[in-house]
Amino acid sequence: MNEENVKLAQIQKSCKAAKIVSKIFMIAAIVGCALSLIASIVVFTNKDKYDEVFNAEDVTMRVGVGNFYFASFDHEDINSILDEEMTSDVPEVQEYFDENQHSGALRMGFFLIIITVYCACLAVVMGFIGSIFSTVLKEGNPFSDKVLKKVLVSMIIITVIIGASNGLGMCLVLALVTWVVYTILDYGRTLQKLSDETL
């Protein structure tokens, strides 16, 4: 087995590993999405009960499972959450916010919904990334038309998601990265076609 074949075998192993890792992240994101959605529903449906907890003087809230905590909020943290103003351009929503301006449960519920959306977006992105590696393994060539289309679609989706959450500057940077990646892959595809035609 020559050096190029050894290198190709290593790259295929790397593709398989990346495919598995992206699926693991996708599953974790789906679980996170489901858990945060369930948690937001629980918080919204038990708003009064959770507001009592938020308003207690010596409260410490912990987010986690069993004895393992992801985050801990003391009374000062909770007060800083309550001090932030909730606003909306929709008059009916703004009226609801005004009536519930000091509701910690409402704020926590919206925070959990945002986490749900982020996890759902992450699951979609990880699914696309996993499908790119699957296609590379199936096609046996990273410069095939199918791989190029999937990479382009994935990069556009990632750019839109990150741009929507982080602003226009980040969107422009990622659009430039998408253009660079697409150009490199397209150039490799063209060189591959020329190489195949000369053989």
Side-chain angles (χ1 to χ4, degrees):
M1 188 178 269
N2 62 22
E3 190 177 327
E4 285 80 16
N5 288 340
V6 170
K7 185 69 176 166
L8 276 174
Q10 288 174 342
I11 292 169
Q12 286 179 338
K13 283 182 183 178
S14 179
C15 283
K16 288 176 185 173
K19 176 183 162 187
I20 291 168
V21 168
S22 63
K23 284 191 177 184
I24 290 169
F25 278 125
M26 183 182 75
I27 291 167
I30 290 169
V31 169
C33 181
L35 290 175
S36 58
L37 180 62
I38 291 167
S40 68
I41 291 168
V42 168
V43 168
F44 280 130
T45 56
N46 297 296
K47 185 175 152 301
D48 294 336
K49 175 182 162 187
Y50 284 100
D51 277 337
E52 286 178 26
V53 173
F54 271 103
N55 293 329
E57 287 294 325
D58 59 345
V59 68
T60 299
M61 291 183 63
R62 291 185 175 90
V63 179
V65 178
N67 291 326
F68 180 74
Y69 300 112
F70 303 109
S72 179
F73 303 95
D74 63 14
H75 188 67
E76 189 176 308
D77 296 327
I78 293 168
N79 279 338
S80 68
I81 291 170
L82 294 175
D83 287 341
E84 292 184 26
E85 190 175 342
M86 295 186 295
T87 60
S88 173
D89 293 335
V90 180
E92 292 81 9
V93 174
Q94 184 60 49
E95 183 181 330
Y96 181 75
F97 284 164
D98 290 341
E99 291 171 5
N100 296 283
Q101 195 65 37
H102 297 289
S103 172
L106 183 68
R107 292 165 192 269
M108 184 60 76
F110 280 121
F111 177 72
L112 289 167
I113 287 174
I114 291 169
I115 291 174
T116 302
V117 171
Y118 275 122
C119 287
C121 291
L122 182 62
V124 169
V125 168
M126 286 297 127
F128 270 109
I129 290 171
S131 74
I132 290 170
F133 286 110
S134 292
T135 306
V136 168
L137 288 168
K138 199 181 295 180
E139 297 281 316
N141 179 4
F143 301 115
S144 71
D145 290 338
K146 286 183 181 178
V147 172
L148 196 63
K149 286 177 186 173
K150 283 192 176 188
V151 167
L152 182 61
V153 168
S154 297
M155 293 293 288
I156 288 171
I157 289 172
I158 292 168
T159 300
V160 169
I161 290 171
I162 293 176
S165 61
N166 292 311
L168 183 63
M170 185 61 75
C171 186
L172 291 174
V173 169
L174 288 173
L176 182 62
V177 169
T178 300
W179 186 14
V180 168
V181 170
Y182 179 80
T183 303
I184 291 169
L185 288 175
D186 195 28
Y187 188 70
R189 179 182 65 168
T190 304
L191 288 176
Q192 182 75 43
K193 284 182 180 178
L194 287 172
S195 174
D196 291 345
E197 286 171 5
T198 54
L199 295 175

